[in-house]
């Protein structure tokens, strides 16, 4: 019975994460295909560029609370009591679904909103630390991609610091650090292969420059304006 429940949670989390919420919402609200606008990314960031923050609020709520939190809560002691290992696995599955949606040819977003829901369920203090790095960086530079990357790099370190030195108040399990390391790995891979899931080089750049731009800026070129206003082929 426990095995069946665990498999059901993982599969359910992946399918829920795969729901292309930004893609569907953009179609319904603006009549556009996000794959053919701006970065071509099927996620909240590209949606915000074309529809604005106010329109994106329902999307962000869905990605954080439904995609991110719900699978972890179901696996947790609150409902099925499958343990921290399954909570972490459910979080991974949901983010993987968001990033590589089975409904859109295994393309997707970056999972930035979804991971907030996972982290707040696993250890809420981490959300403050993780979000602060990206938020303060954006306020200083009006650019978010670099800072979300830095926040992802720092996330495992924050987790270990909380676990080692603030265990009595934060209750960070070792599995949370494993999740943070896994999310960092997913972030790096997703950035490097971009939304095409390949190392295709449509910009004609040297491979080293292309990979550096993707890893640092989360796009093929350094210029954000050039990237978000383009119309890539679907």
């Amino acid at each position: 019975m426990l095995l069946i429940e665990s498999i059901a949670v993982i599969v359910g989390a992946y399918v829920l994460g795969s729901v292309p919420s930004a893609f569907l919402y953009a179609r319904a609200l603006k009549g556009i295909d996000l794959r053919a606008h701006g970065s071509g990314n099927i996620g909240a960031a590209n949606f915000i560029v074309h529809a604005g923050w106010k329109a994106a609020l329902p999307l962000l709520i869905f990605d954080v609370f439904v995609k991110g939190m719900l699978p972890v809560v179901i696996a947790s002691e609150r409902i099925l009591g499958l343990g921290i290992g399954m909570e972490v696995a459910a979080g991974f599955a949901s983010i993987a679904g968001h990033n590589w949606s089975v409904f859109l040819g295994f393309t997707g977003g970056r999972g930035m909103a979804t991971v907030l829901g996972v982290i707040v369920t696993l250890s809420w203090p981490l959300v403050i630390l993780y979000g602060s790095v990206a938020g303060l960086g954006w306020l200083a530079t009006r650019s978010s991609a670099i800072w979300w990357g830095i926040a992802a790099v720092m996330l495992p370190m924050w987790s270990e610091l909380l676990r080692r030195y603030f265990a009595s108040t934060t209750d960070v399990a070792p599995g949370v650090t494993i999740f943070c390391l896994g999310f960092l790995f997913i972030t790096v891979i997703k950035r490097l292969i971009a939304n095409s899931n390949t190392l295709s080089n449509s910009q004609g750049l040297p491979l080293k420059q292309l990979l550096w731009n993707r890893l640092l800026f989360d796009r093929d070129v350094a210029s954000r304006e050039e990237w978000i206003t383009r119309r890539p082929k679907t």
Side-chain angles (χ1 to χ4, degrees):
M1 185 64 179
L2 183 62
L3 178 60
I4 294 174
E5 288 180 342
S6 298
I7 293 173
V9 166
I10 297 299
V11 173
Y14 175 77
V15 172
L16 181 60
S18 288
V19 173
S21 45
F23 173 80
L24 295 173
Y25 191 26
R27 273 285 178 88
L29 188 68
K30 293 289 184 177
I32 63 173
D33 183 341
L34 286 179
R35 296 172 296 182
H37 288 75
S39 68
N41 182 31
I42 312 161
N46 197 28
F47 180 92
I48 289 169
V49 168
H50 298 286
W53 278 101
K54 290 183 180 179
L57 284 178
L59 173 64
L60 293 171
I61 289 171
F62 180 82
D63 283 359
V64 172
F65 292 97
V66 179
K67 284 189 176 184
M69 287 184 67
L70 185 59
V72 183
V73 170
I74 290 174
S76 72
E77 296 296 330
R78 300 176 185 88
I79 300 181
L80 295 180
L82 298 177
I84 185 64
M86 280 303 303
E87 292 176 46
V88 167
F92 277 137
S94 184
I95 294 169
H98 181 88
N99 288 9
W100 294 282
S101 171
V102 69
F103 302 117
L104 289 176
F106 299 101
T107 58
R110 297 296 188 266
M112 295 298 107
T114 303
V115 76
L116 291 176
V118 175
I119 295 173
V120 77
T121 312
L122 294 175
S123 176
W124 66 265
L126 275 178
V127 171
I128 298 173
L129 296 169
Y130 175 65
S132 294
V133 172
L136 292 173
W138 182 84
L139 288 173
T141 65
R142 287 301 188 268
S143 177
S144 62
I146 293 176
W147 296 102
W148 280 120
I150 292 173
V153 169
M154 297 180 68
L155 194 57
M157 295 183 284
W158 289 130
S159 177
E160 276 299 284
L161 285 173
L162 291 176
R163 188 176 71 85
R164 290 175 182 270
Y165 301 109
F166 300 94
S168 61
T169 55
T170 59
D171 192 28
V172 177
V176 176
T177 301
I178 294 173
F179 170 81
C180 295
L181 288 168
F183 175 66
L184 174 59
F185 177 76
I186 287 175
T187 298
V188 170
I189 295 300
K190 185 66 178 181
R191 286 191 174 208
L192 289 178
I193 65 175
N195 214 39
S196 62
N197 292 338
T198 71
L199 292 178
S200 60
N201 189 354
S202 62
Q203 304 300 311
L205 295 172
L207 182 60
K208 288 175 64 175
Q209 184 63 53
L210 176 73
L211 295 180
W212 174 252
N213 286 344
R214 286 182 176 182
L215 188 61
L216 188 63
F217 303 115
D218 196 19
R219 52 183 178 262
D220 288 8
V221 296
S223 170
R224 179 176 181 272
E225 287 302 314
E226 179 183 344
W227 191 244
I228 66 174
T229 56
R230 72 193 186 107
R231 293 180 64 88
K233 294 180 180 179
T234 55

